[in-house]
């Protein structure tokens, strides 16, 4: 490839951001707002807010086979089809087109498009606390986080204030409050369980989920109309996505260049400067290869893809992957488990119902190991997420016998109140849970396939048992019947909270990034997606990625101004 | 015995059961079906669905065109094994009707039709263990009656008539009201 000086100039920006999902959208917005000419590279197609949400306003009967995937879907997308339905299939990749290797079963759910998985995410937003930031240091598992809650506190506020998070203040140390819009409301059965929990255990409480769904108009968006169809994209802009929020804000500055259909295959190293000089890109429309240059590079391709991209960026300085002097790159992969929980039926409140479809459930914040508890046989903890409802036709059909008028009458009227809940649990960072490249197998663009080798271990399994136990107990105390405690034993990846493959740490020998998400070994590269996470905590992680991204952008900007980058 | 072991040992039983199956049965279960086989049964399926969810003060399955939903889902979204089980179920139903009443199902009186479907419903709960049933369903597909009923329910509750008249459909709720008194004759919400 020959690049003239003129082209080089044309292809040079102040900053490059790789990936336009939750964290990349934030990076692009922050850098643009600081006046930097920013190139946002996205491997997938463009998805424009509202106009590219083809299913958002469809009725159930508009889907000719209901929400069933076809046999063909299941055959070509054996992983993604377990998450998507005809309503949101277009926001997931095709496994056939984007294969990866599972050393052990691992569900890698992806959305390759502008907005990434911000379109389909569950919108749960929780802050980490010092219980989490100090955990590795306390029990010696994994390296110490180089930051504490106070480093991130203002950035959490900053992120929440921008995206709009509804929730209730609870004044808990293990789950700090945020800048909340009016909370959504618990229904009768959830209040009932909450009252019982408060009465029986002073350390536990049940609160409404904290979600990036707007309970009032916010930043020209929303309010949420309680349709609970968010994963199709929201025509009211009722929830946060890159498409509805950060990317338009970045566009509005006039500093953003968004380039979809651009797979970044390598980060280019400048031997003289000991820095990144830019990136190499395959244009998937023309199959041509381009190079783009910038003073700083933000890597936000999402945890597993980011690891793959860095491992694929080799040079004489970095024979084992970009910035991988520590040998930690690709390792310490984590995902929360959310397999264990319980389901129960309650006979009360038969005269009560609800109207509208609240797009979230409830949360029981972490209550295990708040102090080290010797009676427990596992480290760290979990929170419980769930929701209550009256049985409707989907569930009722299974339990009614026969057919005919009686059957119909029962089918079409509300059944008993039920609650389903499960524990979202911390996963420890294990060195040999990892992502690597298989250079003997290539995708259709000639790039090596990613290989994922991950399993949950003893600590996670013991925690799952405890979850079943405590969930069952809370139900029992609250007078629930037919309690079914379950463990779905879902494989890794199923909670879609992958993280840890380029962790932050104090020491370049044992970590990839410093406390500002800056690469130890290449100062102008910043990684602020989930790969930076030093431990997983048990909170849904994306809010933390946003806060870290905003903080790192500010730092990068200041360093650049000072001439240190 | 813990639950997992229990499932395993039950599973062992089911597998032994398969081994003693004739090759013929195995092949017949896994062959791909001919779409026409099902499409020809459209009228029959409409009547069967209507027996399950009849017209009352709200529309029934036939008016909601549930038969088309059943055919679409069967042909596009159902593994060959289950398709065959379903087709075989229809054949069984037809044979039984012929033997019992000497005529085709569509020629039967309402009470005869009901009796036939009752017979099929009885035939579909062969195992008393819930878990054994689950495994049996997995290996050989759901019994005909249960599959038919499941498809009828799904098709009806998501059809325009079923959702908006059989159930309560709230296209854009605007607000969420968390705890409100049940109305008289309150229908279930069609979507959640
Ligand atoms: C169904 C579902 C529910 C979820 N619920 C929650 C929740 O409730 N709370 C929560 O906190 N999290 C939730 N998550 C997880 C959340 O979506 C992710 O944590 C978040 O999207 C990660 O942000 P990201 O920026 O790292 O990656 P993504 O949002 O995945 O974006 C990555 C982007 O990078 C692009 N890309 C990848 N490789 C390249 C390349 N080589 N070149 C150019 N571009 C590239 C991709 O196409 C994509 O657009 C959920 C996810 C799903 C799917
Ligand atoms: S529930 Fe609210 S945010 Fe979600 S799609 Fe509906 S209106 Fe939009």
């Amino acid at each position: 490839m020959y690049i003239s000086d003129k082209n080089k100039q044309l292809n040079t920006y102040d900053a490059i951001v790789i990936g336009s999902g939750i964290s990349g959208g934030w990076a692009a917005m922050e850098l643009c707002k600081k006046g930097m000419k920013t190139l946002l590279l996205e491997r997938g197609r463009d998805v424009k807010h509202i106009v590219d949400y083809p299913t958002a306003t469809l009725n159930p009967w508009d889907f000719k086979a209901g929400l069933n995937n076809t046999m063909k879907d299941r055959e070509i997308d054996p992983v993604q089809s377990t998450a998507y339905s005809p309503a949101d299939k277009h926001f997931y990749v095709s496994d056939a087109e984007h294969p990866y290797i599972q050393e052990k079963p691992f569900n890698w759910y992806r959305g390759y498009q502008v907005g990434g998985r911000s379109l389909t995410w569950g919108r749960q937003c929780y802050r980490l606390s010092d219980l989490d930031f100090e955990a590795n240091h306390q029990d010696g598992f994994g390296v110490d986080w180089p930051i504490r809650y106070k480093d991130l506190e203002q950035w959490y506020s900053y992120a929440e204030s921008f995206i709009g998070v509804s929730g209730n203040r609870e004044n808990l140390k293990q789950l700090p409050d945020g800048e909340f819009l009016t909370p959504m409301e618990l229904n009768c059965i959830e209040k009932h369980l909450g009252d019982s929990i408060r009465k029986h255990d002073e350390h536990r409480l049940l609160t409404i989920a904290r979600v990036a769904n707007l309970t009032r108009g916010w930043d020209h968006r929303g309010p949420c109309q309680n349709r609970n169809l968010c994963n199709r994209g929201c025509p009211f802009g009722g929830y946060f996505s890159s498409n509805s929020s950060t990317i338009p804000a970045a566009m509005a500055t006039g500093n953003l260049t968004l380039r979809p259909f651009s797979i970044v295959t390598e980060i280019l190293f400048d031997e003289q400067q000991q820095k990144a000089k830019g990136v190499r890109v395959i244009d998937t429309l023309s199959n041509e290869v381009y190079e783009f240059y910038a003073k700083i590079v933000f890597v936000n391709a999402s945890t597993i893809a980011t690891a793959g991209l860095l491992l694929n960026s080799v040079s004489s300085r970095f024979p084992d992957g970009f910035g991988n002097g520590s040998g930690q790159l690709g390792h310490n992969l984590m995902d929360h488990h959310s397999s264990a929980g319980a389901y129960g039926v309650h006979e009360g409140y038969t005269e009560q119902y609800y109207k509208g479809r609240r797009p979230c459930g409830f949360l029981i914040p972490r209550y295990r190991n708040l102090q080290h508890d010797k009676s427990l046989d596992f480290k760290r903890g979990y929170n419980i997420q769930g929701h209550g409802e009256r049985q409707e036709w989907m569930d009722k059909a299974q339990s009614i016998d026969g057919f005919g008028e009686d059957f119909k009458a029962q089918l079409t009227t509300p059944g008993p109140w039920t609650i389903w809940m499960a524990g979202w649990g911390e996963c420890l960072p294990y060195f040999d849970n990892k992502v690597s490249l298989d250079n003997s197998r290539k995708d259709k663009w000639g790039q090596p396939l990613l290989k994922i080798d991950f399993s949950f271990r003893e600590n996670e399994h013991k925690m799952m048992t405890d979850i079943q136990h405590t969930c069952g107990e809370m139900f029992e105390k609250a007078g629930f019947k037919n309690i079914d405690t379950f463990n779905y034993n879902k494989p890794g990846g199923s909670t879609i909270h992958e993280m840890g493959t380029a962790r932050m740490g104090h020491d370049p020998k044992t970590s990839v990034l410093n406390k500002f998400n800056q690469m130890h070994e290449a100062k102008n590269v910043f990684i602020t997606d989930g790969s930076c996470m030093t431990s997983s905590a048990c909170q849904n992680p994306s809010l933390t990625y946003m806060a870290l991204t905003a903080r790192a952008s500010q730092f990068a900007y200041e360093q650049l101004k000072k001439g240190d980058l | 015995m813990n639950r997992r072991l229990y499932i395993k040992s039950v599973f062992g039983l089911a597998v032994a059961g398969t081994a003693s199956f004739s090759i013929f049965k195995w092949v017949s279960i896994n062959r791909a079906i001919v779409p026409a086989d099902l499409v020809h049964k459209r009228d029959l399926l409409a009547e069967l669905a209507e027996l399950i969810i009849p017209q009352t003060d709200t529309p029934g399955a036939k008016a909601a065109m549930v038969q088309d939903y059943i055919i679409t889902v069967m042909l596009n979204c159902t593994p060959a094994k289950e398709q065959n089980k379903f087709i075989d179920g229809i054949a069984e139903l037809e044979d039984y009707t012929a033997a019992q009443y000497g005529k085709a199902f569509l020629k039967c009186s309402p009470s005869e039709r009901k009796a036939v479907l009752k017979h099929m419903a009885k035939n579909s709960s062969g195992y008393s263990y819930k878990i054994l049933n689950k495994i049996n369903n997995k290996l050989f597909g759901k019994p005909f009656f249960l599959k038919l009923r499941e498809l009828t329910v799904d098709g009806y509750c998501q059809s325009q008539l079923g959702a908006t008249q059989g159930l309560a459909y709230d296209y854009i709720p605007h607000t969420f009201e968390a705890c409100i008194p049940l109305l008289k004759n309150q229908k279930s919400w069609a979507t959640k």
Side-chain angles (χ1 to χ4, degrees), chain A residues 488-524:
Chain A
Y488 302 145
N489 283 308
K490 292 182 283 186
S494 302
T495 312
I496 327 187
H497 293 166
E498 337 79 64
M499 50 189 131
T501 50
R503 69 187 179 191
M504 295 164 76
H506 296 289
D507 186 352
K509 287 204 218 52
T510 56
S511 61
V512 181
L513 308 170
N514 71 10
K515 63 179 174 181
F516 289 107
N517 298 69
Q518 180 181 34
M519 216 172 221
H520 289 301
E521 297 177 312
K523 298 287 181 205
N524 65 342

Side-chain angles (χ1 to χ4, degrees), chain A residues 251-459:
Chain A
M251 269 309 173
T253 64
N255 291 326
L256 182 73
T257 305
L258 172 61
R259 194 178 203 284
F261 301 110
S262 306
I263 303 179
V264 178
T265 56
E266 262 178 83
I267 300 176
L268 304 168
F269 189 65
D270 184 332
E271 298 278 350
Q272 263 156 14
Q273 308 264 336
Q274 292 290 302
K275 287 195 301 203
K277 64 176 172 196
V279 299
R280 186 166 294 141
V281 162
I282 298 178
D283 182 313
T284 59
L285 294 179
S286 66
N287 277 328
E288 276 185 66
V289 174
Y290 293 87
E291 285 185 2
F292 295 99
Y293 311 98
K295 295 175 198 133
I296 54 174
V297 177
F298 267 70
V299 192
N300 298 89
S302 83
T303 300
I304 293 173
T306 287
L309 169 59
L310 294 167
L311 288 168
N312 198 39
S313 306
V314 290
S315 55
S316 51
R317 166 74 176 85
F318 293 128
D320 301 321
F322 200 100
N324 191 19
S326 64
Q328 295 291 330
L329 189 61
H331 292 272
N332 312 304
L333 177 63
M334 300 170 275
D335 178 36
H336 294 141
H337 52 89
S338 56
S339 283
Y343 177 82
V345 179
H346 199 279
E347 287 166 352
Y349 307 95
T350 51
E351 293 308 307
Q352 304 286 311
Y353 207 20
Y354 37 75
K355 182 194 169 300
R357 298 180 292 279
R358 189 190 62 196
C360 72
F362 62 77
L363 178 91
I364 303 173
R366 177 170 160 187
Y367 48 83
R368 286 309 213 193
N369 283 323
L370 294 183
Q371 260 100 42
H372 176 60
D373 184 344
K374 284 210 191 81
S375 68
L376 296 175
D377 60 355
F378 59 90
K379 294 182 180 28
R380 320 280 170 111
Y382 54 85
N383 61 55
I384 304 291
Q385 306 191 9
H387 71 274
E389 65 187 28
R390 291 195 74 152
Q391 260 183 13
E392 322 272 15
W393 60 268
M394 304 91 170
D395 309 296
K396 260 189 128 179
Q398 324 278 333
S399 55
I400 321 170
D401 276 338
F403 59 88
E405 290 193 15
D406 257 14
F407 175 78
K408 182 185 179 189
Q410 284 194 60
L411 181 73
T412 51
T413 45
W417 286 95
T418 62
I419 287 186
W420 176 96
M421 61 187 187
W424 267 236
E426 176 152 6
C427 168
L428 295 173
Y430 304 100
F431 181 76
D432 51 349
N433 274 345
K434 66 174 196 284
V435 177
S436 56
L437 296 180
D438 186 337
N439 280 302
S440 66
R441 295 172 68 181
K442 304 273 163 88
D443 68 12
K444 71 182 206 194
W445 294 279
Q447 300 306 305
L449 293 195
L450 272 162
K451 204 158 65 176
I452 302 173
D453 188 346
F454 177 96
S455 62
F456 290 119
R457 310 288 163 86
E458 201 188 343
N459 198 63

Side-chain angles (χ1 to χ4, degrees), chain A residues 56 123 184 212-214 223-240 357-359, chain B residues 172-173:
Chain A
R123 309 163 307 282
M184 303 221 168
N213 284 82
L214 303 171
C224 166
Q225 302 292 314
N226 290 287
R227 309 176 321 138
N228 197 22
L229 298 175
C230 314
N231 53 336
R232 303 179 184 181
C234 181
F236 307 95
Y239 75 97
F240 167 83
R357 298 180 292 279
R358 189 190 62 196
Chain B
I172 301 179

Side-chain angles (χ1 to χ4, degrees), chain A residues 86-142:
Chain A
D88 59 3
K89 178 185 168 188
H90 47 287
F91 293 148
Y92 286 79
V93 299
S94 158
D95 289 320
E97 199 178 336
H98 303 282
Y100 65 101
I101 302 163
Q102 305 177 48
E103 301 271 84
K104 304 187 186 82
F106 186 95
N107 291 334
W108 186 22
Y109 295 113
R110 289 159 292 163
Y112 289 167
Q113 65 252 332
V114 168
R117 293 176 294 182
S118 73
L119 287 161
T120 50
W121 74 312
R123 309 163 307 282
Q124 308 273 326
C125 287
Y126 302 109
R127 294 184 176 199
L128 269 57
S129 74
D130 272 336
L131 183 65
D132 307 305
F133 289 115
E134 285 171 4
N136 286 7
H137 183 66
Q138 296 284 345
D139 61 28
F141 213 101

Side-chain angles (χ1 to χ4, degrees), chain A residues 207-225:
Chain A
T207 186
I208 188 75
R210 298 171 177 178
V211 281
N213 284 82
L214 303 171
T215 42
R216 64 178 164 94
W218 194 252
D219 185 32
H220 311 295
R221 299 186 286 116
C224 166
Q225 302 292 314

